[in-house]
Amino acid sequence: MTLYEKECQGKTIFSPNHLLEIYLYQYYIGGEEFEVTDMKIHALYRQLADNYSRKDRAYEAIAICEKSLAINPLDIETRSELAKLYRRTGKLEQLLKTAEEMYPFCYTISDLSRYYRILGEYYLGTYKPEVSVAAYTYSNYFYPTETADKEILFLEKALNKKFAFDNIQELQNTLKNEKIPLNGKSETLGLLYKTGMLELEKNNTEYACYLLMFLYQLTKDEEVGKILKKLKLV
């Protein structure tokens, strides 16, 4: 019997990273009743998957990532690891599916940056270099990374072509033509705001600000900015 099976014993177990994920889980997944556990079982599985991945046992690592997601389907780290494995094994449709499934759970600039980088990998693999570069460039708009820079440089060298977007609108139009969203999912951002405000009402100021800062970084919302400014955080 696996660790997961011992923990579950016929119950639906959810292992959140923090409170907001419980609200997101209820909204997006819902269904039958579930039991929240403080044990970070999903993280243990993710670490095990990483060990298999380092040993070039990609398919076993994929199976273990799936176990991790059975306990916390919201975990961005696990979904990012799964995306790497799908890219390595050439499973491009699964790579795209991973990006689509992680999108509703992206609520930080780092999360969205990862989402667009995974799309960049997908469009690179499906021979749409302009869309790939647009996705990598847009990922840097949220959170600059060396990974995105290297992929853009690789494409430009491989195709002997300089990709440039005159302005943010042109960049966004390239993504919109592929029906790629341009920011976090509105329902997710709404839950982020609602949870932050509830925690503020409970005088759980530190966690409230933690969430509201994520929202402000993504939206630059004036109301949220005023709240954070009042708390001397912006």
Side-chain angles (χ1 to χ4, degrees):
M1 183 178 287
T2 66
L3 173 64
Y4 172 58
E5 290 167 338
K6 287 180 181 178
E7 176 69 15
C8 283
Q9 295 181 336
K11 299 176 291 186
T12 298
I13 299 295
F14 176 47
S15 172
N17 292 300
H18 54 85
L19 178 63
L20 174 65
E21 291 192 346
I22 298 176
Y23 292 114
L24 292 173
Y25 186 95
Q26 289 173 324
Y27 183 82
Y28 285 111
I29 298 171
E32 58 189 290
E33 292 185 4
F34 59 93
E35 182 176 315
V36 175
T37 177
D38 291 331
M39 291 179 62
K40 303 302 181 187
I41 309 170
H42 67 290
L44 295 175
Y45 275 126
R46 188 176 65 236
Q47 291 170 9
L48 182 59
D50 183 62
N51 289 338
Y52 277 107
S53 178
R54 292 174 186 274
K55 295 175 182 177
D56 291 325
R57 297 167 67 176
Y59 290 100
E60 289 163 288
I62 288 171
I64 295 169
C65 280
E66 294 293 351
K67 288 180 179 291
S68 177
L69 291 175
I71 306 167
N72 185 340
L74 286 69
D75 192 71
I76 299 298
E77 295 288 342
T78 302
R79 291 195 180 275
S80 297
E81 179 65 24
L82 193 56
K84 291 177 186 176
L85 292 163
Y86 283 142
R87 182 180 184 183
R88 186 193 304 178
T89 53
K91 295 182 178 295
L92 295 178
E93 291 309 310
Q94 287 91 331
L95 179 65
L96 177 60
K97 183 180 178 184
T98 299
E100 292 173 341
E101 289 179 345
M102 77 184 282
Y103 170 66
F105 310 132
C106 294
Y107 52 84
T108 72
I109 54 176
S110 177
D111 293 344
L112 278 175
S113 180
R114 290 190 190 200
Y115 165 70
Y116 292 111
R117 289 201 304 275
I118 293 172
L119 290 179
E121 293 168 359
Y122 170 75
Y123 287 104
L124 172 61
T126 53
Y127 306 104
K128 289 188 175 182
E130 184 178 12
V131 182
S132 179
V133 170
Y136 281 123
T137 303
Y138 206 56
S139 78
N140 276 342
Y141 172 77
F142 286 93
Y143 190 85
T145 64
E146 188 177 339
T147 299
D149 291 339
K150 285 182 176 179
E151 293 292 355
I152 294 169
L153 184 60
F154 166 79
L155 278 164
E156 289 182 337
K157 283 185 175 180
L159 298 173
N160 193 27
K161 177 181 178 181
K162 185 72 174 177
F163 289 92
F165 298 93
D166 292 334
N167 50 57
I168 188 68
Q169 188 65 53
E170 183 183 348
L171 176 60
Q172 290 179 333
N173 285 340
T174 302
L175 299 175
K176 283 165 66 175
N177 289 339
E178 295 292 331
K179 299 182 177 170
I180 296 171
L182 303 179
N183 207 322
K185 194 172 177 65
S186 59
E187 293 88 342
T188 300
L189 299 182
L191 285 167
L192 183 57
Y193 173 77
K194 183 177 180 180
T195 307
M197 296 305 291
L198 283 172
E199 292 303 299
L200 203 56
E201 289 174 11
K202 295 176 186 176
N203 292 319
N204 190 357
T205 307
E206 184 177 355
Y207 186 60
C209 292
Y210 175 76
L211 298 178
L212 293 174
M213 183 60 78
F214 287 155
L215 183 61
Y216 184 71
Q217 288 174 334
L218 285 175
T219 65
K220 296 296 186 287
D221 182 87
E222 288 185 12
E223 179 187 347
V224 174
K226 287 177 182 177
I227 294 169
L228 292 173
K229 188 173 183 180
K230 186 177 180 180
L231 295 168
K232 299 181 180 180
L233 291 175
V234 295

